[in-house]
Amino acid sequence: MAEITEIRWHGRGGQGAVTAAKILAQAAMEKGFHIQAFPEYGAERRGAPVKSFTRISKDPITIHSPIHNPSAVAVLDATLLDAVDVTEGLPEDGILVVNTVDNPADVRKKLNLKGRKVFTVDATQISIDCLGKPIPNTPMIGAVMRAAGTLPLEEVISGFKHKFSAKFQKEVIEGNIKAIKRAYEEVKTE
Amino acid sequence: MAKTLGLTGNEAVAYAIMQINPDVMAAYPITPQTALVQKFADFLADGDVDTEMILVESEHSAMSATVGASAAGARAMTATAANGLALMWEIVYIAASNRLPIVMPVINRALSAPINILCDHSDTMGCRDTGWIQIYSENAQEAYENTIQAVRIAEHPDVLLPAMVTQDGFIISHGMEDVTILEKEQVQKFVGEYKPHYPLLDPEHPVSYGPIDFHDFYFEHKKPQVDAMENAKQVILDVGREFSKLSGREYGFFDAYRMEDAEIVAIMMSSTAGTTRPVVDELRRQGIKAGLLKLRVFRPFPAEEIVAALQGKKAVAILDRAISFGAQGGALFSEVCSALYNAGQRIPVINFLYGLGGRPAEIENIQEVYQKLQRIVQTGKVDNLINYLNLRE
Amino acid sequence: MSQIRELGYKDLPLGGKILDAGNSENYETGGWRTYVPVHDAEKCTNCLLCWIFCPDGAIFVKDGKWAGFDLKHCKGCGICAEQCPPKVKAITMVKEEK
Ligand code: SF4
Ligand code: SF4
């Protein structure tokens, strides 16, 4: 089977987990990759735990089954660490990126986690600073990209611009780009 | 020049409809179709189309308005899913019987009850005998391209039948993929100008639609519908060939994937075929001669062509994403079996019912299908004709 | 009318469309009658209620005045006689001798 990078996003309904999955896919697509981004299908409620997924591959992606063993997991809301098993199916060398004020070591201890690589970033604070609102999804894209090393920062930013330039005002775009950059720089590793 | 965009299946088809720029679009929202019409409404608001959009109070009205518009002489479209299609049913049949070349994307979704918004094929399989052409799409790219081709197929003077173009609910409709989009001018040129067949709004040649038609005529009006379906076969191939010059992708009745020397074959439609491709590749690497026949056109059913493609195969599994309650397996299974029987082919076949109400079709499930086929080849025996994939016992 | 009855499925208009609109005139429903309406011009006030209500358009009107029954299409339903005002009663239904 073709080499496919698979990323799972955990969030709560309304936090933009699906949008994050799509922006990342858009960025990868512009870099010439084949992509998929999709939500976990089900009834959606604001605040309920939700999942979304991104697939990235050099070759066309034909597979349409769910992702069970992602190479990276991004958690948009630290309260989910208590609510769902965010590391489910994440392999030994998998990457876990969590939006939290805590350090990676704290997260590892909390989850009693062995193996994997843990990253943390305070994406909520970054989004409050840059966007005036606690919408952590865009900064989390920056953090995931840094952690996974799949795409350079510029690609992510241009992907974001293309996906949203028609939809949002310039200030909103600029704010989001600032947030992505900050998270890219501030993400902490073990 | 063609460009690649990140689009969901819904968005891709909305793009197709925008580029077709139909005269009339009447629709009522239903998950998972809602986002399609919403995206089309965006195009309308942005002035990308000059379509007359009719917002109606139900799907029954949506199809009625589409039928009225089409009879009046407009290139008319609508879109729906599941229970919406079920509510349309009466008029779905009328559209075909009036020989109106309406194109309707259907986002495949399970029918209630219990309530379920996820994918299976119960909705379109339920109206497989209404006289509509049915084209099933594997991914967003195909959904886009099938929609454009459907216009030409439906409107062809030898056909004049409505066509539904399906895609799997949520799996395709809500999944973003890289989709290559043609230029609007290319699509406009491809679909051409619509020349309606005896439109109502032609005062020079007044006509009546839908008169009373009893035992003395009704039967004679049904047979030409049968013939039109038969004619559609050639048209589908011709249109597919012409379209492939634009897109570079081949479009026939089905996609025969690694079929040439295959011994064990799975037949299915839509997104699951995509999941099956890497499974076939893996089996091939192990030296197992596996093949996939992904059916694109279910109506008209390409019986002869399927029989020819299955010639000499050792065992065949047919996957149905809808149950025909009380029947001998799923509808696709029945069709393939009767085609083989009438051609005098006695290939061992098994049926798998799968994916109901959004139950995922996992790689392991597909592997299980091919394992069963291998066992049949080894033992020469079919133990279980009708099987249920990924069902808890 | 009689020729179209002979046509096979290959020669009929698609979808049962009627291409020569207005051909219902060729369908003579006058043969269905048991009772035939008879008009009394002396009593008639030309109110034209009968003309409005006749379901088959089988009443002729000329220059705003009652002008006769179209017996090729009158089915003898008696609606005209029923509608003619009680004080006028200018139409009576009479058993038709064939
Ligand atoms: S309804 Fe009676 S009175 Fe009036 S026009 Fe007819 S026949 Fe004459
Ligand atoms: S009897 Fe009936 S059909 Fe005949 S003229 Fe009177 S209303 Fe018309």
Side-chain angles (χ1 to χ4, degrees):
Chain A
M1 272 171 229
E3 254 334 293
I4 302 182
T5 304
E6 295 179 320
I7 298 165
R8 183 173 70 216
W9 304 79
H10 290 272
R12 291 191 179 274
Q15 284 177 335
V18 179
T19 309
K22 285 185 175 176
I23 294 170
L24 181 58
Q26 176 84 22
M29 188 188 80
E30 290 181 11
K31 191 79 186 141
F33 288 95
H34 295 277
I35 53 100
Q36 278 181 359
F38 51 96
E40 184 188 44
Y41 320 114
E44 284 142 40
R45 276 173 301 129
R46 226 179 160 77
V50 294
K51 286 183 242 175
S52 63
F53 305 89
T54 307
R55 273 194 178 106
I56 300 172
S57 168
K58 278 205 185 66
D59 300 316
I61 307 169
T62 66
I63 187 168
H64 281 114
S65 61
I67 290 171
H68 297 297
N69 300 107
S71 24
V73 169
V75 183
L76 299 189
D77 186 325
T79 65
L80 287 168
L81 298 179
D82 301 315
V84 290
D85 180 6
V86 297
T87 58
E88 190 185 6
L90 187 66
E92 269 295 301
D93 60 349
I95 288 163
L96 176 67
V97 188
V98 184
N99 169 25
T100 172
V101 291
D102 292 342
N103 287 316
D106 304 326
V107 171
R108 178 176 288 286
K109 206 167 137 214
K110 185 180 175 69
L111 295 175
N112 194 14
L113 197 64
K114 304 205 168 46
R116 285 93 157 200
K117 276 172 268 167
V118 183
F119 297 81
T120 62
V121 65
D122 190 354
T124 304
Q125 189 57 48
I126 293 175
S127 68
I128 290 171
D129 292 349
C130 301
L131 299 159
K133 276 185 248 167
I135 347 174
N137 62 345
T138 31
M140 277 299 279
I141 298 165
V144 168
M145 286 304 65
R146 178 70 175 277
T150 321
L151 289 175
L153 184 63
E154 306 80 65
E155 297 300 333
V156 182
I157 288 169
S158 89
F160 182 86
K161 272 191 192 153
H162 289 150
K163 188 97 189 126
F164 289 106
S165 55
K167 216 167 173 176
F168 292 136
Q169 287 172 327
K170 205 164 157 268
E171 305 85 76
V172 180
I173 305 270
E174 291 304 321
N176 275 290
I177 289 170
K178 222 163 85 192
I180 293 173
K181 279 188 185 157
R182 250 188 73 182
Y184 190 90
E185 281 151 19
E186 289 178 18
V187 65
K188 286 178 269 189
T189 184
E190 290 169 287
Chain B
M1 265 315 288
K3 56 177 182 282
T4 301
L5 302 176
L7 299 175
T8 64
N10 271 332
E11 289 167 346
V13 171
Y15 255 92
I17 302 176
M18 178 270 278
Q19 295 179 323
I20 292 162
N21 192 13
D23 300 311
V24 172
M25 171 91 177
Y28 188 79
I30 180 165
T31 304
Q33 156 266 35
T34 310
L36 190 166
V37 181
Q38 212 170 337
K39 180 76 188 170
F40 180 75
D42 283 351
F43 288 129
L44 185 71
D46 290 346
D48 293 324
V49 290
D50 46 24
T51 304
E52 182 76 35
M53 189 148 172
I54 309 174
L55 303 177
V56 288
E57 69 282 3
S58 76
E59 284 84 359
H60 191 277
S61 308
M63 185 44 79
S64 299
T66 310
V67 162
S70 181
R75 184 177 264 159
M77 298 180 76
T78 180
T80 195
N83 303 39
L85 181 59
L87 183 56
M88 275 184 185
W89 205 91
E90 178 193 10
I91 317 297
V92 164
Y93 203 93
I94 290 172
S97 303
N98 274 327
R99 310 297 301 273
L100 300 171
I102 294 163
V103 171
M104 170 166 70
V106 180
I107 316 303
N108 280 128
R109 161 186 156 181
L111 290 166
S112 300
I115 296 175
N116 184 300
I117 57 168
L118 305 179
C119 174
D120 70 34
H121 297 166
S122 310
D123 50 2
T124 48
M125 276 293 141
C127 58
R128 63 187 182 270
D129 293 340
T130 53
W132 282 60
I133 290 165
Q134 291 194 335
I135 305 175
Y136 289 75
S137 318
E138 181 179 323
N139 49 37
Q141 184 72 52
E142 286 190 13
Y144 167 76
E145 298 185 339
N146 283 337
T147 305
I148 296 166
Q149 291 176 64
V151 173
R152 283 279 302 277
I153 295 163
E155 291 174 3
H156 193 284
D158 295 346
V159 180
L160 288 171
L161 291 174
M164 23 186 117
V165 177
T166 82
Q167 57 176 289
D168 282 351
F170 286 97
I171 302 165
I172 302 303
S173 70
H174 285 58
M176 170 175 146
E177 300 181 343
D178 43 309
V179 179
T180 306
I181 297 287
L182 298 168
E183 285 298 324
K184 189 173 181 184
E185 295 69 49
Q186 289 177 292
V187 175
Q188 280 286 305
K189 197 162 158 245
F190 186 81
V191 296
E193 203 191 319
Y194 178 45
K195 291 183 200 72
H197 182 264
Y198 293 115
L200 281 175
L201 288 187
D202 178 3
E204 301 295 307
H205 306 95
V207 294
S208 296
Y209 272 67
I212 291 266
D213 199 34
F214 285 151
H215 51 82
D216 45 358
F217 281 113
Y218 185 85
F219 204 2
E220 279 74 21
H221 285 133
K222 293 292 125 183
K223 179 62 166 60
Q225 284 179 251
V226 176
D227 295 350
M229 271 287 176
E230 197 54 40
N231 297 345
K233 287 187 182 170
Q234 191 55 49
V235 175
I236 288 166
L237 294 179
D238 293 344
V239 169
R241 216 166 289 129
E242 198 184 319
F243 191 82
S244 74
K245 286 192 205 123
L246 287 182
S247 76
R249 271 171 291 276
E250 304 272 325
Y251 282 101
F253 298 128
F254 47 73
D255 173 26
Y257 185 68
R258 306 194 82 158
M259 279 288 284
E260 209 129 281
D261 61 337
E263 291 175 350
I264 52 173
V265 173
I267 306 180
M268 68 194 75
M269 303 192 291
S270 303
S271 68
T272 311
T275 306
T276 304
R277 291 173 199 274
V279 176
V280 169
D281 294 344
E282 182 56 35
L283 289 167
R284 287 284 178 165
R285 265 192 290 278
Q286 297 166 20
I288 297 157
K289 290 187 171 166
L292 159 70
L293 193 149
K294 185 208 59 185
L295 190 61
R296 171 181 175 241
V297 180
F298 184 73
R299 286 286 182 265
F301 190 76
E304 279 169 40
E305 293 79 4
I306 289 176
V307 168
L310 295 180
Q311 188 92 41
K313 306 302 173 204
K314 293 190 174 159
V316 177
I318 295 118
L319 275 68
D320 273 285
R321 201 163 192 159
I323 297 180
S324 287
F325 296 103
Q328 302 174 81
L332 180 54
F333 178 69
S334 300
E335 296 273 357
V336 173
C337 285
S338 83
L340 288 171
Y341 179 88
N342 291 318
Q345 295 260 350
R346 202 65 189 89
I347 302 170
V349 286
I350 39 167
N351 189 200
F352 287 90
L353 297 160
Y354 81 102
L356 272 285
R359 174 61 48 87
E362 306 276 4
I363 292 274
E364 303 87 71
N365 306 137
I366 307 295
Q367 284 166 340
E368 188 187 324
V369 168
Y370 284 100
Q371 279 157 13
K372 272 239 167 78
L373 288 175
Q374 279 178 275
R375 256 198 312 281
I376 290 172
V377 175
Q378 280 154 16
T379 62
K381 263 203 334 238
V382 176
D383 310 323
N384 226 348
L385 199 60
I386 318 287
N387 302 270
Y388 297 82
L389 211 51
N390 201 3
L391 170 79
R392 286 191 304 278
E393 300 247 345
Chain C
M1 207 63 204
S2 54
Q3 302 122 295
I4 201 170
R5 296 209 164 270
E6 309 295 317
L7 291 181
Y9 72 86
K10 288 182 186 151
D11 302 313
L12 287 171
L14 289 186
K17 291 181 192 79
I18 296 175
L19 305 184
D20 41 351
N23 69 356
S24 60
E25 208 174 347
N26 302 338
Y27 191 18
E28 297 188 0
T29 49
W32 301 8
R33 272 193 314 273
T34 310
Y35 293 91
V36 64
V38 177
H39 181 254
D40 184 343
E42 304 266 294
K43 292 184 182 168
C44 178
T45 62
N46 289 306
C47 70
L48 298 186
L49 275 175
C50 58
W51 170 75
I52 289 168
F53 280 95
C54 172
D56 278 276
I59 292 171
F60 297 128
V61 171
K62 208 174 163 221
D63 302 329
K65 296 220 166 90
W66 191 95
F69 293 115
D70 167 8
L71 291 180
K72 270 191 184 149
H73 296 100
C74 165
K75 293 186 294 204
C77 69
I79 288 174
C80 52
E82 201 60 35
Q83 289 301 326
C84 185
K87 287 186 184 156
V88 182
K89 280 286 162 222
I91 300 176
T92 32
M93 300 303 291
V94 178
K95 185 105 191 276
E96 190 168 31
E97 307 296 336
K98 293 212 174 141

